[in-house]
Amino acid sequence: MRRRHFLGLTAAALPAAALLRNRIPVEAAERAPLIIPPEFKPNGKRLVGKELRTEIAPGRQATVWTVTTGEPRPTGVTIRTRTGDSASVLFQNDLRQTSILHWHGLSVPEKADGHPRLAIGTGEQYRYAFPVKNRAGTYWYHSHPHHMTGEQVYRGMAGLFLINDADEDALGLPRGAREIPVLLGERRFDASGEFAFNPVMHERMEGFFGSDVFVNGIKDPTHNVDSALYRLRVVNATPSRIHRLGLSTGAQMTLIGVDGGLLPAPIRVDYVELGTGERADLLVDFSGMAVGSKVMLKSLPYKPPYAMAMGMGMGRMGAGGNPQGTELDLLEFVVTKAVTERGWAARPFPAIAPIASATASRTREFVMQSAMMQHTINGKAFEMDRIDEVVPFGATEIWRFSNPSQFPHPVHLHEVQFQVLSRTGGRAALFPWEGGWKDTVMVYPGETVEVIATFDQHRGRYLMHCHNLVHEDGGMMMNYEIK
Ligand code: C2O
Ligand code: CU
Ligand code: CU
């Protein structure tokens, strides 16, 4: 496999003193206004993948690689459409690397799925056209070139893809300025203040972690709100972090949806855990709060399952960034306007019929292994043209993922939404954020997770992979064909 990021002068090759000297000094704790990326309908729009310099905080510029309709912004534009509409997008790759866009969570024809073998060169264009089949939900897009997804997504090649439908409209959820996209990222800076992406040996196993939090491409953001109910569309677009999202006030949030749209009913939660690729559709209530009140959306501290094994010893030499499980301030809300309005009244959510296990024609087993500098599925690293599994069109199947490794694996399937049936070993439980429809599920070390899906939308070649972007680029990915 290619190792282009890992050759040359990596941080590991520098003496520790040089690393310390190169650290950017901590600045005053002034937070930057969040940006809300502009929304576009996918009606023939040209989206350009581009390297550009833009503000990531007031008075501070950096180079990002992002998806834009022209203007320099630190994050990808938001695409918004409706179930049943048709989507058409022209992707133009102005990056200096090959690239291709993937619509994460959407069921689309093979040609529109952004498989890495479809990647285009610099200056080339790729036209996507597909009917929007998915129900309302918080989907997203990101680039997906072979071995370079991690670096490209890290540098900003990602955005939200929101779908609305009539069922969701009927619920009267907060919208307009009361609906906030929250694309979570993180970066590390090099000596010149640019984003560094250079996983050292240990990070090629565990994953790559930033030293600084970014939301919608803005470092340490803040956002002014009314004293009212808000809807947050949260996407974990970090390379490797598992966020435990909660509020600084300790107040509960209402989880209304996950990867594949609304849950069958809203659930009050203290926190929600999201691995890379997973989404949470959250209601956060600022009503009754005095003007001047501040609420921080945080990543609450937790103990990662592999802390003992791979803690701070020699294994982490040269690694940087905030370790997995670090308490982080993500997005600050400041109540700047008091309003009194009638609260949102929960109405019945659209039902979700469980897929019965008995309807599955077979169970497939997948062993997700990270060991000896290799990331594999059933002992094999990804090969572009090898079809690893063939699924008969129309079949319902159970896919069972087990994780004998030391690291968590957020496992993702292209093309289908699945239901999570069970988790044994490890945490041995299913969580509120694993109800409804999912396309990515977290498998901790020692766990076995079963999901069930029906493969009845398109025939063609799709991917299953770990969404820790370092694992994915390192080979923990396979082709499956629906035939
Ligand atoms: Cu976010 Cu291959 O996917
Ligand atoms: Cu995907
Ligand atoms: Cu993994």
Side-chain angles (χ1 to χ4, degrees):
M1 72 177 253
R2 287 173 64 193
R3 287 278 183 217
R4 54 176 295 284
H5 311 303
F6 311 136
L7 299 172
L9 191 64
T10 64
L14 293 171
L19 275 179
L20 287 177
R21 247 183 289 120
N22 287 345
R23 289 263 153 82
I24 304 289
V26 182
E27 294 140 67
E30 205 190 297
R31 301 188 67 91
L34 183 72
I35 67 146
I36 307 294
E39 288 187 1
F40 293 101
K41 266 197 159 97
N43 54 1
K45 260 289 161 270
R46 190 171 60 135
L47 298 182
V48 186
K50 212 177 168 156
E51 176 176 328
L52 48 87
R53 275 182 71 72
T54 183
E55 266 198 359
I56 54 161
R60 179 153 181 195
Q61 299 237 321
T63 304
V64 300
W65 304 358
T66 192
V67 180
T68 170
T69 52
E71 270 133 70
R73 287 198 192 81
T75 193
V77 297
T78 297
I79 297 175
R80 189 189 286 269
T81 184
R82 292 183 68 81
T83 308
D85 281 5
S86 46
S88 112
V89 168
L90 182 68
F91 173 59
Q92 179 172 322
N93 178 19
D94 283 353
L95 298 175
R96 282 179 278 184
Q97 300 183 339
T98 61
S99 197
I100 193 73
L101 294 184
H102 164 62
W103 319 101
H104 180 130
L106 298 195
S107 170
V108 296
E110 177 182 22
K111 278 200 324 245
D113 193 49
H115 189 286
R117 75 183 190 288
L118 305 173
I120 55 172
T122 305
E124 294 180 346
Q125 297 184 332
Y126 194 94
R127 183 170 294 283
Y128 295 87
F130 54 90
V132 179
K133 293 188 164 197
N134 291 70
R135 63 201 290 260
T138 309
Y139 306 93
W140 64 301
Y141 65 88
H142 58 81
S143 64
H144 214 308
H146 197 31
H147 293 322
M148 300 181 299
T149 298
E151 177 167 18
Q152 291 192 7
V153 173
Y154 167 86
R155 294 191 183 281
M157 289 291 291
L160 275 83
F161 194 116
L162 300 176
I163 301 179
N164 297 107
D165 66 15
D167 285 347
E168 189 201 63
D169 293 347
L171 298 176
L173 293 164
R175 46 190 293 212
R178 303 267 172 88
E179 181 186 8
I180 304 174
V182 180
L183 187 84
L184 300 172
E186 58 186 31
R187 271 83 172 241
R188 253 184 240 178
F189 292 97
D190 67 15
S192 61
E194 297 290 353
F195 303 149
F197 188 80
N198 50 0
V200 299
M201 194 166 13
H202 170 74
E203 292 161 339
R204 283 157 48 194
M205 290 308 290
E206 183 185 1
F208 193 74
F209 298 96
S211 54
D212 288 81
V213 167
F214 285 75
V215 180
N216 299 346
I218 297 293
K219 179 171 133 50
D220 300 324
T222 183
H223 191 67
N224 294 342
V225 293
D226 301 344
S227 59
L229 186 72
Y230 278 74
R231 180 181 189 184
L232 309 186
R233 306 273 209 153
V234 186
V235 179
N236 185 345
T238 63
S240 308
R241 187 171 303 280
I242 301 167
H243 278 293
R244 178 177 286 192
L245 300 173
L247 300 176
S248 56
T249 51
Q252 289 193 312
M253 310 176 288
T254 304
L255 180 68
I256 58 169
V258 293
D259 304 353
L262 296 169
L263 292 169
I267 307 179
R268 305 279 293 161
V269 290
D270 293 319
Y271 62 83
V272 172
E273 285 185 7
L274 290 189
T276 300
E278 292 185 289
R279 285 90 71 203
D281 199 339
L282 288 167
L283 298 182
V284 173
D285 199 357
F286 306 109
S287 42
M289 298 186 75
V291 168
S293 305
K294 291 183 175 176
V295 178
M296 185 67 77
L297 177 68
K298 294 180 73 83
S299 196
L300 304 172
Y302 64 88
K303 196 167 160 298
Y306 47 89
M308 300 326 282
M310 296 296 283
M312 292 304 293
M314 287 298 289
R316 286 191 63 88
M317 271 290 281
N322 297 308
Q324 189 78 283
T326 303
E327 178 173 2
L328 299 170
D329 288 346
L330 303 176
L331 171 57
E332 180 191 70
F333 297 98
V334 182
V335 178
T336 51
K337 190 171 154 215
V339 297
T340 344
E341 14 187 271
R342 207 142 50 95
W344 176 72
R347 284 166 231 174
F349 276 32
I352 295 179
I355 311 178
S357 306
T359 61
S361 49
R362 62 173 286 184
T363 299
R364 289 176 206 258
E365 310 257 2
F366 300 97
V367 179
M368 317 296 288
Q369 180 62 289
S370 295
M372 303 197 292
M373 301 315 291
Q374 291 244 36
H375 301 288
T376 57
I377 300 174
N378 290 343
K380 296 177 287 186
F382 180 66
E383 264 180 40
M384 190 79 94
D385 296 309
R386 188 189 63 221
I387 308 288
D388 296 286
E389 303 286 331
V390 178
V391 178
F393 181 80
T396 294
E397 297 193 353
I398 294 172
W399 285 23
R400 178 184 295 149
F401 306 106
S402 61
N403 179 358
S405 79
Q406 294 182 60
F407 306 110
H409 301 303
V411 178
H412 170 53
L413 267 75
H414 284 214
E415 171 59 14
V416 291
Q417 292 285 332
F418 51 73
Q419 294 177 358
V420 186
L421 291 176
S422 67
R423 173 178 285 108
T424 51
R427 296 169 293 165
L430 297 181
F431 299 93
W433 51 89
E434 296 179 318
W437 291 105
K438 294 277 293 167
D439 56 54
T440 307
V441 68
M442 180 57 72
V443 188
Y444 267 39
E447 292 182 356
T448 297
V449 173
E450 286 186 339
V451 305
I452 189 166
T454 302
F455 299 79
D456 62 355
Q457 296 299 303
H458 302 98
R459 291 169 204 269
R461 195 194 305 185
Y462 297 96
L463 294 166
M464 183 270 277
H465 59 86
C466 177
H467 220 293
N468 177 325
L469 299 176
V470 174
H471 295 183
E472 168 180 350
D473 283 342
M476 193 176 280
M477 180 154 79
M478 58 153 233
N479 288 305
Y480 77 92
E481 184 172 358
I482 303 171
K483 208 171 180 170

